[in-house]
Amino acid sequence: MKCRHCNTELEHVFVDLITCPPSNDMVKSEHLNEPEAYYPLKIFVCHNCLLVQVDEMKKADQIFDSEYTYFSSYSSSWLEHSKNYAEYMINRFGYNEKSQVIEIASNDGYLLQYFKKHKVPVLGIEPTANTAAIAKEKGIDTIVDFFGTKFADNQLANKGIKGDLILGNNVLAHVPDVNDFVQGMKRALKDNGVITMEFPHLLKLVQENQFDTIYHEHFSYLSFIAVRRIFDHQGLKVFDVQEIPTHGGSLRIFARHAEDSSKPVSQNVYDLLEKEKLAGMESLSFYQNFQQVVDKIKYNTWNFLIQMKRDGKKVAGYGAAAKGNTLLNYCGIKGNDLIRFVSDASPYKQNRYLPGSRIPVFEPNRIREYKPDIVIIFPWNLKTEISEQLSYIRNWGGKFVVFVPELSIF
Ligand SMILES: [Zn+2]
């Protein structure tokens, strides 16, 4: 297995989570008697370019099947984040009715709608057909496809479409061929255009034990050092960067053509490089102690759940997120004896079963009826929001639990 960026043989394991089914493959009740496909989930770090990555190219078309159940518009905090981004970009770069904004993995149009409100022309690119259909209903021009050089040439450049802004949120880390993807953006970008990408920051993943953000759909785990190198290699210069709180700590990078001298490199770039260097991210040892941390979380999770069972406590979960599936599958939890059910606000997840563990997913109201002593919040990055929404569990003495970055009961 070779590094996806620099083609060096991968030799060093970052973490081995053994095997897991694709984390978004919710199981329907009529499929409960059928087997599930499990794939290895082993993450390597390249000793040459320090890109952290999964070791196999799992077929993208299998993961993004047409029934992919994630719709961005269901989270109010994410919509707020997107709205603020659109307004910030319009203010900073002056986009108007003559500009072209292109979003890669535009989902249901959750973000482009805010550019459209300001009359900025938008184009979405989205691989899942049913999600793209919702965007089109909102009047957001969307092409159903994966993005890469082939798409950039055939669907954009050859048709005279180039972006003043090309953006992608939580897509860069999900791309199997990262070089081709970044080269595609280079080809689809106007001479003075800007690219922004948001992705979870590997520094946070390691410092805050966020191993449950590792899953098959997530091919790369990105440091600023590694990303800058990948963009440089394709003739793109990262000229600014912001640390943002989404997904437990993300980066938003700003890139331009290397030849475009109109945008000087911000001090933020040098500061963040220094920060990563001080944390040790330029040396291999930074990446090689993570397995022990992850195993400790597994043992603490087991201890806690078994203790609750012995004490006769009622335990439920909230948030049928990919994160929870990584945790439950790595811990080898099967069935609903330790966690009775998981509630989720998305109707697309309700009355299905979590992949691997096969814990049933119900509507949020089920928590009110069941009155659990413990509610596990799987999307720990939303623990404040969720514990406020479910604060009524305090009426019967209920408590919340998260397992990452460490076991915490509150
Ligand atoms: Zn490499």
Side-chain angles (χ1 to χ4, degrees):
M1 176 66 199
K2 302 259 171 72
C3 171
R4 232 172 239 126
H5 171 57
C6 74
N7 217 30
T8 301
E9 192 72 36
L10 295 174
E11 295 170 9
H12 303 277
V13 176
F14 172 61
V15 69
D16 187 355
L17 301 178
I18 320 296
T19 62
C20 198
S23 64
N24 284 311
D25 276 4
M26 303 289 294
V27 182
K28 291 180 187 173
S29 54
E30 62 264 36
H31 296 151
L32 283 176
N33 289 330
E34 293 168 15
E36 268 179 275
Y38 277 66
Y39 300 90
L41 189 50
K42 193 173 187 178
I43 310 294
F44 286 79
V45 57
C46 170
H47 57 271
N48 182 48
C49 73
L50 298 174
L51 179 63
V52 173
Q53 54 198 292
V54 292
D55 70 330
E56 58 144 355
M57 293 265 194
K58 218 184 89 53
K59 322 82 195 158
D61 52 339
Q62 190 172 345
I63 292 166
F64 292 103
D65 81 17
S66 58
E67 261 225 279
Y68 190 53
T69 47
Y70 181 69
F71 290 85
S72 296
S73 291
Y74 283 97
S75 153
S76 56
S77 59
W78 187 245
L79 287 177
E80 186 66 21
H81 173 76
S82 306
K83 181 169 180 269
N84 292 341
Y85 164 82
E87 284 166 5
Y88 172 80
M89 293 302 286
I90 289 169
N91 283 333
R92 179 167 173 182
F93 296 102
Y95 300 125
N96 57 37
E97 55 280 351
K98 290 181 189 137
S99 311
Q100 177 69 60
V101 173
I102 300 173
E103 184 180 14
I104 305 170
S106 52
N107 219 293
D108 62 359
Y110 73 102
L111 187 150
L112 289 178
Q113 62 182 338
Y114 298 114
F115 282 101
K116 199 174 146 68
K117 250 179 211 161
H118 289 87
K119 303 199 164 35
V120 181
V122 297
L123 173 65
I125 302 160
E126 168 56 44
T128 57
N130 61 344
T131 324
I134 295 172
K136 287 181 197 166
E137 278 168 27
K138 293 182 193 163
I140 290 162
D141 198 8
T142 305
I143 304 176
V144 180
D145 211 339
F146 287 97
F147 184 83
T149 50
K150 209 173 104 198
F151 181 91
D153 291 342
N154 298 338
Q155 299 285 338
L156 300 176
N158 291 351
K159 294 182 178 170
I161 303 169
K162 282 198 168 187
D164 293 280
L165 171 61
I166 299 178
L167 72 110
N169 291 341
N170 302 306
V171 60
L172 189 60
H174 289 69
V175 170
D177 188 347
V178 70
N179 291 338
D180 182 76
F181 182 86
V182 175
Q183 178 57 223
M185 293 196 289
K186 166 98 183 160
R187 295 184 194 179
L189 188 68
K190 280 191 189 164
D191 289 349
N192 60 352
V194 172
I195 295 168
T196 73
M197 294 272 122
E198 290 180 20
F199 49 84
H201 190 188
L202 179 63
L203 179 62
K204 286 281 186 181
L205 187 154
V206 173
Q207 285 180 336
E208 302 194 11
N209 309 337
Q210 300 165 351
F211 83 99
D212 55 349
T213 62
I214 295 171
Y215 41 88
H216 296 108
E217 294 88 329
H218 212 160
F219 290 93
S220 309
Y221 300 84
L222 300 162
S223 65
F224 190 50
I225 296 169
V227 161
R228 223 171 135 254
R229 195 172 281 144
I230 292 167
F231 274 67
D232 267 342
H233 195 252
Q234 303 298 340
L236 292 165
K237 189 87 195 157
V238 176
F239 68 92
D240 200 1
V241 61
Q242 297 168 342
E243 291 177 87
I244 54 177
T246 49
H247 296 283
S250 296
L251 296 182
R252 174 189 290 157
I253 59 164
F254 297 73
R256 55 160 166 82
H257 287 289
E259 305 81 8
D260 174 8
S261 57
S262 66
K263 298 169 197 74
V265 177
S266 151
Q267 184 61 36
N268 295 340
V269 169
Y270 303 109
D271 290 348
L272 186 58
L273 286 173
E274 189 59 25
K275 185 175 178 176
E276 289 196 344
K277 199 173 159 183
L278 281 173
M281 294 187 94
E282 284 185 332
S283 103
L284 208 50
S285 61
F286 176 88
Y287 304 87
Q288 293 181 312
N289 299 314
F290 197 54
Q291 185 79 46
Q292 289 167 32
V293 172
V294 172
D295 288 345
K296 194 175 155 198
I297 293 177
K298 175 165 76 172
Y299 307 140
N300 287 342
T301 302
W302 282 345
N303 269 344
F304 176 81
L305 291 174
I306 290 166
Q307 195 58 51
M308 289 301 106
K309 188 73 189 171
R310 287 188 172 141
D311 292 348
K313 303 284 188 195
K314 296 197 280 186
V315 178
Y318 190 87
K323 285 186 188 70
N325 290 329
T326 296
L327 174 83
L328 292 167
N329 282 309
Y330 186 57
C331 290
I333 310 252
K334 296 271 183 193
N336 70 344
D337 57 327
L338 298 176
I339 302 167
R340 182 61 69 93
F341 61 88
V342 171
S343 279
D344 196 284
S346 166
Y348 295 91
K349 294 180 178 175
Q350 292 162 10
N351 303 311
R352 295 190 179 191
Y353 295 79
L354 297 181
S357 65
R358 300 201 163 186
I359 296 171
V361 180
F362 297 131
E363 53 165 344
N365 213 29
R366 203 57 85 92
I367 290 179
R368 252 181 230 280
E369 294 162 18
Y370 183 59
K371 295 188 171 52
D373 301 293
I374 297 290
V375 173
I376 301 163
I377 299 178
F378 288 110
W380 40 259
N381 53 315
L382 302 174
K383 71 177 176 189
T384 310
E385 198 175 324
I386 292 169
S387 60
E388 278 167 14
Q389 270 170 31
L390 305 184
S391 60
Y392 57 80
I393 73 163
R394 314 263 186 216
N395 295 342
W396 60 79
K399 290 191 166 138
F400 296 101
V401 165
V402 292
F403 294 116
V404 173
E406 57 190 1
L407 175 67
S408 155
I409 306 166
F410 59 100

